[in-house]
């Protein structure tokens, strides 16, 4: 492939994610089939042109503070190459500020764009991408599924982020209920206790292990597997409507959890029919004010390609 030209363009697509999945706090993440899609073009140094449509378009900055632009510069600096100017055309399908990994997906989009723009001049391994994304985002549980797709388990080993990817049982049918208000991750974290009891720690360890089995082999175990004692009850005070919906759904046998830091609610239904029942219950409970997103598990993760080509330069 030829050396990057100043006007080279890449097309990037990154899935939404839902982290924690109940008991797997800061560890488990799932890629979902809502997407941010971007075309990013290299310009002469110092130039910046950002256009955003879709979710969050009115709030996302279009100057040097833009997260995608900052991430592209960070990736270039990491390999010792001067960053170009950028034209960013973003079409956001991931609800912003609602617990579906929008900031992590923006970081992943910037890293994949840099990888594509630098093709032939610098290389980024999967480990490089996860490390850089974690440095920028702070936690690997959201960026890992955005990068690699599927169900991911993320951890750190000697301060190095690592992950493994698992395939989700085809009987698992996700549905996300999205309110019209947002919640910042920092606010959601501020209400958490700094210490937990041994009993609660063991409880969550057992449920997290069970959740892996439920998602990969035995969806009928999802109700028990999504129980949590570490974060959801403590966050209820910051998002009472979310807590009320989770409780209403679980009372009727649906495996409902807070999606990421909230305020969206994720239901891991054990079949398409069950998620339709969950949607009907949620509509009655909320008066139809929450949007129901019937999603699939995204198994591919983030991709980058040349806009005129069908083949990806990078598929994780």
């Amino acid at each position: 492939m030829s050396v990057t030209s100043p006007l080279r363009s890449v097309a990037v697509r990154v899935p939404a994610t839902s982290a924690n999945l109940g008991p797997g706090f800061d560890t488990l993440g799932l890629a979902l089939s809502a997407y941010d899609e971007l075309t990013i073009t290299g310009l002469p140094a110092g130039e910046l042109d950002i256009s955003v449509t879709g979710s969050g378009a009115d709030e996302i900055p279009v100057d040097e503070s833009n997260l995608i632009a900052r991430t592209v510069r960070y990736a270039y600096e990491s390999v010792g190459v001067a960053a170009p100017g950028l034209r960013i055309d973003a079409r956001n399908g991931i609800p912003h500020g609602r617990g579906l990994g929008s900031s992590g997906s923006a970081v992943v989009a910037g890293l994949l764009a840099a990888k594509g723009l630098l093709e032939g001049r610098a290389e980024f391994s999967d480990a490089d991408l996860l490390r850089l994304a974690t440095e920028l985002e702070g936690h690997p549980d959201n960026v890992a599924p955005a990068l690699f797709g599927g169900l991911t388990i993320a951890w750190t080993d000697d301060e190095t982020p690592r992950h493994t990817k698992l395939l989700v049982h085809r009987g698992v049918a996700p549905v996300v209920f999205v309110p019209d208000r947002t919640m910042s991750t920092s606010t959601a974290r501020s209400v958490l206790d700094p210490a937990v009891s041994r009993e609660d720690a063991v409880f969550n360890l057992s449920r997290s292990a069970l959740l892996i089995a439920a998602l990969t082999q035995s969806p009928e175990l999802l109700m028990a597997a999504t129980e949590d004692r570490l974060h959801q009850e403590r966050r209820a005070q910051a998002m009472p409507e979310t807590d009320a919906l989770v409780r209403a759904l679980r009372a009727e046998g649906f495996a409902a959890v807070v999606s990421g830091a909230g305020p969206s609610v994720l239901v891991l239904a054990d079949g398409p029919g069950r998620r339709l029942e969950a949607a009907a219950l949620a509509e009655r409970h909320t008066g139809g004010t929450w949007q129901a997103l019937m999603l699939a598990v995204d198994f591919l993760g983030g991709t980058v390609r040349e806009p005129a080509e069908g083949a990806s330069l990078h598929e994780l």
Side-chain angles (χ1 to χ4, degrees):
M1 184 165 295
S2 62
V3 173
T4 304
S5 68
L7 297 178
R8 183 174 184 180
S9 292
V10 293
V12 175
R13 188 174 85 151
V14 184
T17 62
S18 184
N20 303 326
L21 308 181
F25 184 66
D26 280 358
T27 301
L28 300 181
L30 188 67
L32 299 169
S33 62
Y35 301 93
D36 284 353
E37 298 181 292
L38 308 97
T39 301
I40 301 179
T41 303
L43 298 177
E47 295 187 19
L48 183 62
D49 179 11
I50 301 175
S51 172
V52 183
T53 59
S55 180
D58 295 335
E59 294 85 26
I60 294 172
V62 293
D63 57 16
E64 295 290 339
S65 66
N66 180 273
L67 182 54
I68 294 171
R70 289 191 285 118
T71 300
V72 172
R73 291 196 298 270
Y74 191 84
Y76 270 75
E77 290 169 1
S78 74
V79 293
V81 178
L86 295 171
R87 177 181 296 121
I88 300 173
D89 178 15
R91 300 166 297 284
N92 293 341
I94 301 173
H96 277 230
R98 290 172 171 84
L100 288 167
S102 58
S103 62
S105 295
V107 167
V108 169
L111 291 175
L112 293 181
K115 179 181 176 71
L117 292 170
L118 283 166
E119 185 81 10
R121 299 179 64 188
E123 297 297 326
F124 294 87
S125 68
D126 290 354
D128 292 333
L129 292 168
L130 182 59
R131 174 179 56 80
L132 292 170
T134 303
E135 290 173 1
L136 289 164
E137 175 68 5
H139 299 277
D141 55 321
N142 258 326
V143 293
L147 279 166
F148 307 112
L151 169 67
T152 58
I153 307 170
W155 72 98
T156 56
D157 186 2
D158 295 328
E159 299 185 358
T160 299
R162 303 189 185 279
H163 87 288
T164 190
K165 173 182 174 180
L166 301 172
L167 294 179
V168 176
H169 191 285
R170 62 183 181 180
V172 176
V175 55
V176 179
F177 301 108
V178 183
D180 58 4
R181 65 183 183 88
T182 63
M183 168 70 71
S184 73
T185 301
S186 59
T187 299
R189 283 186 175 274
S190 68
V191 300
L192 299 180
D193 291 338
V196 298
S197 69
R198 177 182 296 180
E199 181 183 7
D200 286 348
V202 171
F203 182 94
N204 269 59
L205 284 170
S206 68
R207 296 312 191 272
S208 295
L210 183 62
L211 184 54
I212 298 302
L215 285 170
T216 59
Q217 301 178 60
S218 306
E220 69 275 9
L221 298 174
L222 281 167
M223 265 299 289
T226 49
E227 293 178 317
D228 161 70
R229 290 186 183 175
L230 291 189
H231 66 103
Q232 293 188 126
E233 288 189 11
R234 292 168 175 83
R235 286 172 163 169
Q237 59 185 293
M239 41 186 166
E241 294 175 353
T242 296
D243 179 61
L245 181 55
V246 168
R247 291 179 182 275
L249 286 161
R250 293 191 70 87
E252 295 299 322
F254 297 103
V257 298
V258 178
S259 181
S264 295
V265 172
L266 169 70
V267 170
L268 296 167
D270 56 354
R274 284 288 286 166
R275 75 174 177 180
L276 290 174
E277 295 173 15
L281 189 157
E283 184 173 11
R284 293 194 300 272
H285 181 85
T286 65
T289 58
W290 290 46
Q291 180 184 14
L293 301 180
M294 304 287 183
L295 302 176
V297 176
D298 174 277
F299 294 103
L300 188 58
T303 62
V304 57
R305 61 178 175 83
E306 293 184 356
E309 297 181 356
S312 291
L313 296 172
H314 176 67
E315 293 186 357
L316 290 161

